[in-house]
């Protein structure tokens, strides 16, 4: 493991704040789980959220149980592993399995099309991990209900195919007992986004075939360093993040083109954004983007020399070091890195909307073919709408694209006969809503982020509402051609998805932020039109 500074300004700022931290005894106090570090207001929360510091050791207690679970699954031919979980209950496992190159289907969506893809896989080889720390996550509850009904209708006992990972005493634990599901209880003194090395990260990863013991080994190797004043990589990284942010470099551009850890920036994004984005301050992670070389950027490169800071190390160690660094950055920014005070707002808005007979979508300002435009733009065409949004980004601000769509749909794009991999990739990119981020980023020197809804609500959604109020928001929704009923609930996935979009949009609008919703009446044609319009700006 190694953290090195490649920019003199970053090195100077980091050295300054690190000196203060060492003088206050922070490294040893944090490694020892001192909950008083973040102030009196944060002490109660921190006291029950520092268990991640010992997970490289305590999670070893899970290994025998995981071994038996994996052995049973293999004996029964259960090779299709589905993980139903949101945010911290899915992001780490997704990175672990992608890095280990083992298959895992992640359901962190309410999009009917994406859920139907998972449901189409053979049930006779499927095992489902349902993970929720609170035990009341609405998306995960829907997935559980759908799979329970599906197994039952196929004549398969759900109790043998569903594994529940949750905290002790949660509603989901009781539901699992009643359903006869296998239960793995996680340690309760770990927050969701700090739970990579807990049961939430390890259970689905082990079932999928990843070497989770090696993950813990790599994390445990750096654990003793976290109490040190020097040679402490978590302190080095945290001082760089926090010191840079205090100096105005609060946009964290994550570079991982050469990294062996596949998808790690997506996990870092949630960890940093949800931990620091509150009280009008925070660090905004920017994933999948090239640096703009503006004064508010800090480029952190994973296993390459392309950034201001370079971070090297195996995945298990990366998880622990980034968690420690984020806790340090929160201390420097004088915020509580363990709460998420604004996440509930969009959830409450969604719940209220679902009680209405019809969702209040309003009337579009105008329509351009398969794209309806909602909001108050003065433009009358899509290129004009994009130009307005880009112009509205304030100094120090950013544009966020939030797509409540099927993130796998681009792979349905027609590919020319005999196409090579590069040609296939081009075809997929031109059918992918995420390509809009890159196209609009070319037309501004401000950060442009992209998130799949409702997944980002459990990640950057906290930053959008609790962090610096300088965001501009572009939301994309779409008609549902083939909806999915939710057993025992008075709504479908499609209705829930739209209510989540409208609920979050309402939360942003109450803050006076510029926001436009684009609704695709034909998803494929609508995406194509958006990408064409972006190239005209």
């Amino acid at each position: 493991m190694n953290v090195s500074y490649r920019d003199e300004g970053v090195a100077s700022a980091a050295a300054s704040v690190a000196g203060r931290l060492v003088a206050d005894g922070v490294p040893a106090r944090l490694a020892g789980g001192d909950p008083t570090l973040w102030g009196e207001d944060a002490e109660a929360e921190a006291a029950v959220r520092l268990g991640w510091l010992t997970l490289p050791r305590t999670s070893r207690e899970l290994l025998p149980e995981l071994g038996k679970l994996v052995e049973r699954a293999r004996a029964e031919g259960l090779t299709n592993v589905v993980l139903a979980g949101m945010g911290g209950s899915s992001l780490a496992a997704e990175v672990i399995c992608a890095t280990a190159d083992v298959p895992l289907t992640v359901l962190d969506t309410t999009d009917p099309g994406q859920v139907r893809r998972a449901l189409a896989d053979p049930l006779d080889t499927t095992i489902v991990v349902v993970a929720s720390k609170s035990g009341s996550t609405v998306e995960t509850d829907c997935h559980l209900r759908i799979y329970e009904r599906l197994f039952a209708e196929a004549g398969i006992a759900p109790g043998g195919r569903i594994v529940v990972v949750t905290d002790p005493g949660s509603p989901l634990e009781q539901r699992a007992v009643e359903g006869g599901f296998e239960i793995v209880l996680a340690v309760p003194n770990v927050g969701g986004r700090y739970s990579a090395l807990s049961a939430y990260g390890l259970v689905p990863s082990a079932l999928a075939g990843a070497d989770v013991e090696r993950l813990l080994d790599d994390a445990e190797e750096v654990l003793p360093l976290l109490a040190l004043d020097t040679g402490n990589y978590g302190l080095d990284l945290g001082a760089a993040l926090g010191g840079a942010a205090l100096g105005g470099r609060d946009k964290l551009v994550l570079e991982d083109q050469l990294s062996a850890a596949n998808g790690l920036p997506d996990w870092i994004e949630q960890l940093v954004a949800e931990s620091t984005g509150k009280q009008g301050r925070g660090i905004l992670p920017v994933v999948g983007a090239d640096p703009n070389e503006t004064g508010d950027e800090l480029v952190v490169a994973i296993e390459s020399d392309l950034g201001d800071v370079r971070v090297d190390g195996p995945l298990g160690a990366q998880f622990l070091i980034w968690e420690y660094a984020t806790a340090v950055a929160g201390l420097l920014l004088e915020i509580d890195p363990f709460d998420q005070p604004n996440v509930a707002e969009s959830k409450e808005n969604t719940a209220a909307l679902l009680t209405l007979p019809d969702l209040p979508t309003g009337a579009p300002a105008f329509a351009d073919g398969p794209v309806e435009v909602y909001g108050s733009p003065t433009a009358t065409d899509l290129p004009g709408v994009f130009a307005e949004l880009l112009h509205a980004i304030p100094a120090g601000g950013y544009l966020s694209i939030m797509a409540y769509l099927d993130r796998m749909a681009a792979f349905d794009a027609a590919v020319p006969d005999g196409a090579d991999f590069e040609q296939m990739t081009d075809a997929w990119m031109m059918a992918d809503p995420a390509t809009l981020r890159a196209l609009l980023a070319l037309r501004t020197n401000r950060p442009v982020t992209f998130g799949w809804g409702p997944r980002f609500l459990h990640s950057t959604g906290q930053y959008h509402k609790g962090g610096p109020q300088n965001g501009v928001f572009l939301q994309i929704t779409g008609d549902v051609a083939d909806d999915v009923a939710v057993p025992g609930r008075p709504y479908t996935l499609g209705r829930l998805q739209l209510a989540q979009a409208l609920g979050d949009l309402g939360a942003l609008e109450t803050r006076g932020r510029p926001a436009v919703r684009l609704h695709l009446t034909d998803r494929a044609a609508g995406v194509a039109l958006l990408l064409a319009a972006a190239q005209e700006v």
Side-chain angles (χ1 to χ4, degrees):
M1 188 77 206
N2 190 47
V3 174
S4 56
Y5 306 143
R6 307 187 63 80
D7 176 272
E8 290 185 6
V10 171
S12 176
S16 175
V17 297
R20 287 168 26 211
L21 294 170
V22 169
D24 290 339
V26 168
R29 290 171 63 194
L30 176 51
D34 183 351
T36 67
L37 279 170
W38 298 271
E40 185 177 343
D41 291 342
E43 183 176 348
E45 183 77 23
V48 294
R49 288 290 178 264
L50 290 170
W52 52 272
L53 286 160
T54 56
L55 285 176
R57 292 173 182 155
T58 59
S59 284
R60 293 184 184 280
E61 298 171 6
L62 284 171
L63 294 178
E65 184 178 0
L66 290 180
K68 293 176 183 177
L69 185 60
V70 170
E71 185 178 359
R72 177 180 72 82
R74 296 293 180 269
E76 297 178 11
L78 304 180
T79 55
N80 177 44
V81 183
V82 178
L83 170 58
M86 302 298 297
S89 297
S90 62
L91 285 167
E94 187 171 45
V95 176
I96 293 167
C97 292
T99 301
D101 195 24
V102 294
L104 176 71
T105 298
V106 176
L107 281 184
D108 55 359
T109 182
T110 47
D111 186 83
Q114 192 171 333
V115 171
R116 282 193 179 278
R117 291 174 192 277
L119 300 180
D121 290 333
L123 275 183
D124 59 344
T125 60
T126 295
I127 185 169
V128 181
V129 179
V130 178
S132 170
K133 179 176 177 63
S134 68
S136 59
T137 308
V138 64
E139 300 94 337
T140 308
D141 173 71
C142 291
H143 301 148
L144 172 57
R145 290 170 177 274
I146 290 167
Y147 267 103
E148 189 175 20
R149 171 74 63 83
L150 196 65
F151 282 130
E153 290 178 345
I156 299 171
R161 296 300 190 87
I162 296 175
V163 179
V164 165
V165 183
T166 191
D167 279 12
S170 79
L172 183 56
E173 182 190 9
Q174 182 60 38
R175 176 92 163 76
V177 170
E178 295 169 356
F181 310 140
E182 182 112 24
I183 304 172
V184 180
L185 293 177
V187 290
N189 62 337
V190 177
R193 57 189 177 274
Y194 291 82
S195 65
L197 298 173
S198 77
Y200 293 104
L202 302 186
V203 172
S205 301
L207 281 168
D211 184 350
V212 296
E213 185 172 6
R214 173 65 182 274
L215 201 72
L216 297 176
D217 289 344
D218 290 335
E220 189 169 8
E221 190 171 326
V222 298
L223 187 58
L225 305 178
L226 300 184
L228 303 180
D229 293 342
T230 59
N232 180 339
Y233 302 125
L235 179 65
D236 293 342
L237 181 56
L241 297 178
L246 290 173
R249 299 175 70 171
D250 60 353
K251 309 302 186 300
L252 173 61
V253 180
L254 294 162
E255 154 59 42
D256 75 328
Q257 295 180 41
L258 303 177
S259 171
N262 197 335
L264 183 59
D266 288 332
W267 176 83
I268 296 172
E269 180 182 46
Q270 183 205 14
L271 175 70
V272 173
E274 197 169 47
S275 295
T276 70
K278 56 201 71 168
Q279 299 177 26
R281 65 196 80 146
I283 299 170
L284 176 68
V286 184
V287 176
D290 293 326
N292 288 311
E293 299 183 356
T294 54
D296 60 346
E297 287 183 341
L298 174 71
V299 182
V300 175
I302 301 168
E303 299 181 354
S304 86
D305 291 330
L306 299 178
D308 305 310
V309 179
R310 173 170 177 155
V311 182
D312 294 271
L315 184 58
Q318 291 266 8
F319 282 145
L320 187 61
I321 292 301
W322 277 98
E323 289 166 349
Y324 186 102
T326 301
V328 169
L331 175 59
L332 292 169
L333 293 174
E334 299 182 346
I335 52 90
D336 178 357
F338 305 114
D339 69 352
Q340 47 281 330
N342 303 106
V343 167
E345 186 176 351
S346 293
K347 295 179 182 179
E348 291 165 358
N349 288 353
T350 297
L353 289 171
L354 288 172
T355 65
L356 302 176
D358 296 298
L359 295 178
T361 56
F366 69 90
D368 186 347
V371 180
E372 297 175 340
V373 180
Y374 292 82
S376 303
T378 59
T380 56
D381 60 15
L382 287 173
V385 169
F386 292 149
E388 277 187 20
L389 289 172
L390 292 171
H391 183 71
I393 304 173
Y398 64 99
L399 171 65
S400 177
I401 304 171
M402 310 168 295
Y404 289 79
L405 300 169
D406 176 357
R407 66 175 169 134
M408 307 302 293
F411 296 111
D412 295 335
V415 175
D417 291 339
D420 59 23
F421 182 73
E422 184 176 348
Q423 291 170 319
M424 288 190 291
T425 301
D426 288 342
W428 295 331
M429 284 184 60
M430 294 317 296
D432 189 349
T435 302
L436 186 60
R437 190 213 63 77
L439 293 174
L440 293 182
L442 290 172
R443 290 152 175 83
T444 179
N445 68 349
R446 302 309 309 147
V448 181
T449 67
F450 184 93
W452 295 103
R455 165 181 165 131
F456 78 87
L457 293 177
H458 300 258
S459 176
T460 52
Q462 166 64 40
Y463 183 97
H464 293 164
K465 293 176 279 290
Q469 292 303 292
N470 54 17
V472 174
F473 299 93
L474 174 61
Q475 186 184 87
I476 308 172
T477 57
D479 276 0
V480 173
D482 194 4
D483 212 341
V484 176
V486 181
R489 291 290 184 244
Y491 48 76
T492 62
L493 286 184
R495 179 176 168 85
L496 173 58
Q497 182 185 41
L498 183 56
Q500 289 175 312
L502 297 176
D504 190 51
L505 192 63
L508 297 171
E509 289 173 339
T510 61
R511 289 164 169 77
R513 300 313 309 153
V516 168
R517 179 169 73 95
L518 304 180
H519 185 76
L520 314 182
T521 55
D522 180 312
R523 292 193 179 199
V527 169
L529 184 59
L530 295 184
L531 300 187
Q535 295 177 73
E536 296 179 23
V537 177

